[in-house]
Amino acid sequence: MSTHGIESMEAKRRRGEKSATSEGAVPLEVLDCAFCFDPLRPPVFQCRVGHVICSSCHHKLRKKDNCHVCAITGGYNRCIAFDHILESTKVSCSNSIYGCTVKTHYYHQEEHKKSCPHAPCFCPEPGCGFAGSTTQLQRHLTADHMLPATAFAYGYSFTLHMQEGMRVLHRKEEGGPLFLAKFTLVPPFGNAVSILCIDPHAVTENHRFECDVDFYSRTMGWHQHSNFQIISTNLSNGFPGEEASYTFVVPDISSDPHTTTTRLLIRPPKISCP
């Protein structure tokens, strides 16, 4: 199979994933570069037949005299009319089903998606198909699944009792990442603790939150401290297993979980966060 054939198959796959719709009746695939298959943005160049490429690809072409699609001679020229089409065509955000009303130029949609506040996170409860923003997910977990919730502020410690199950941790202000603390009994060793950051943009962002955790038993006078980076996920594949999340074990030193308290302090990444 030729390289061009492989690229055409890749283009079809990527086009099939696009869920945004244009304001007019123009099929969105005609707004893609014929060379790199990314969305075209002004300035656009076309051959004598009409095959269009973006300025970046035009700059990279070693041989500009022949069209790389049809091989016709004559090189490429600016296509002002296509520039006007791109400037006048806007598309709905692919997160419109989750409440986003923003419409952007086709070539700006990926930039918008990277910071869209309506990008979905998914419910980690087995069999539940809920998806929505972190604010919607928080309400869903606490109202529909009756999970306990604790409000906190970055940089300030707060207390949790070590009880089996999952707990929602959220900032006092709405929006931004959500956190889940999961306590799992693992006899005879004690309690396994996992803490996750639920972030719809976890796939595109590399920054991580930092967490300090202190465990203290009033009856035994026992203390344990841990510091780690919190793994981020949008929960599209459910709650990660131990191999994919930061999990540690707290020894079971009392039959009454209320005698053992957990103090957490969550720090945001050094870069600005929502």
Side-chain angles (χ1 to χ4, degrees):
M1 180 179 293
S2 67
T3 303
H4 177 65
I6 294 175
E7 291 176 339
S8 296
M9 292 175 62
E10 173 65 9
K12 291 179 181 179
R13 180 188 69 80
R14 293 176 59 182
R15 289 168 184 166
E17 292 178 349
K18 295 173 182 176
S19 58
T21 57
S22 66
E23 289 293 291
V26 179
L28 294 183
E29 57 265 24
V30 305
L31 304 181
D32 289 344
C33 174
F35 192 83
C36 67
F37 309 115
D38 286 335
L40 287 164
R41 63 181 67 211
V44 173
F45 293 82
Q46 70 171 5
C47 75
R48 291 171 57 191
V49 172
H51 297 117
V52 292
I53 63 173
C54 62
S55 59
S56 177
C57 289
H58 180 262
H59 177 72
K60 295 176 183 177
L61 287 177
R62 293 183 178 179
K63 297 182 179 180
K64 295 181 171 62
D65 294 333
N66 299 80
C67 174
H68 84 288
V69 176
C70 63
I72 194 171
T73 59
Y76 291 91
N77 294 297
R78 279 288 307 276
C79 184
I80 305 299
F82 215 110
D83 289 350
H84 291 326
I85 292 175
L86 293 175
E87 292 293 351
S88 62
T89 303
K90 291 189 175 183
V91 296
S92 301
C93 176
S94 59
N95 296 318
S96 59
I97 58 174
Y98 302 112
C100 184
T101 59
V102 172
K103 290 182 173 62
T104 65
H105 289 108
Y106 179 57
Y107 51 86
H108 281 155
Q109 65 171 347
E110 290 302 319
E111 286 85 347
H112 167 73
K113 285 174 61 176
K114 291 178 181 179
S115 59
C116 178
H118 294 274
C121 291
F122 302 84
C123 180
E125 294 289 346
C128 181
F130 177 86
S133 67
T134 52
T135 299
Q136 294 169 331
L137 179 61
Q138 175 188 331
R139 294 170 183 167
H140 168 75
L141 292 174
T142 55
D144 296 342
H145 294 294
M146 305 298 291
L147 293 185
T150 299
F152 73 95
Y154 292 142
Y156 294 88
S157 61
F158 57 98
T159 301
L160 296 177
H161 290 298
M162 189 173 295
Q163 293 177 285
E164 187 175 7
M166 197 151 45
R167 178 178 289 272
V168 179
L169 311 177
H170 63 92
R171 290 194 299 167
K172 297 177 182 178
E173 304 84 2
E174 285 193 352
L178 192 67
F179 297 84
L180 291 179
K182 185 177 182 181
F183 296 88
T184 306
L185 189 63
V186 284
F189 305 105
N191 294 277
V193 184
S194 298
I195 299 177
L196 288 177
C197 171
I198 313 306
D199 185 351
H201 304 294
V203 177
T204 58
E205 299 290 353
N206 295 321
H207 62 270
R208 290 184 176 180
F209 290 80
E210 186 176 345
C211 185
D212 287 331
V213 181
D214 286 278
F215 301 95
Y216 180 70
S217 172
R218 295 191 300 272
T219 58
M220 301 292 293
W222 169 85
H223 175 263
Q224 177 178 327
H225 174 80
S226 295
N227 173 268
F228 56 91
Q229 286 188 324
I230 303 176
I231 293 175
S232 297
T233 174
N234 63 5
L235 294 173
S236 58
N237 296 315
F239 202 97
E242 294 183 5
E243 69 281 358
S245 62
Y246 185 89
T247 302
F248 50 95
V249 176
V250 179
D252 186 10
I253 59 176
S254 173
S255 59
D256 182 6
H258 285 83
T259 63
T260 303
T261 57
T262 307
R263 292 190 64 82
L264 288 84
L265 187 148
I266 298 177
R267 298 188 184 89
K270 293 183 180 179
I271 65 173
S272 60
C273 62

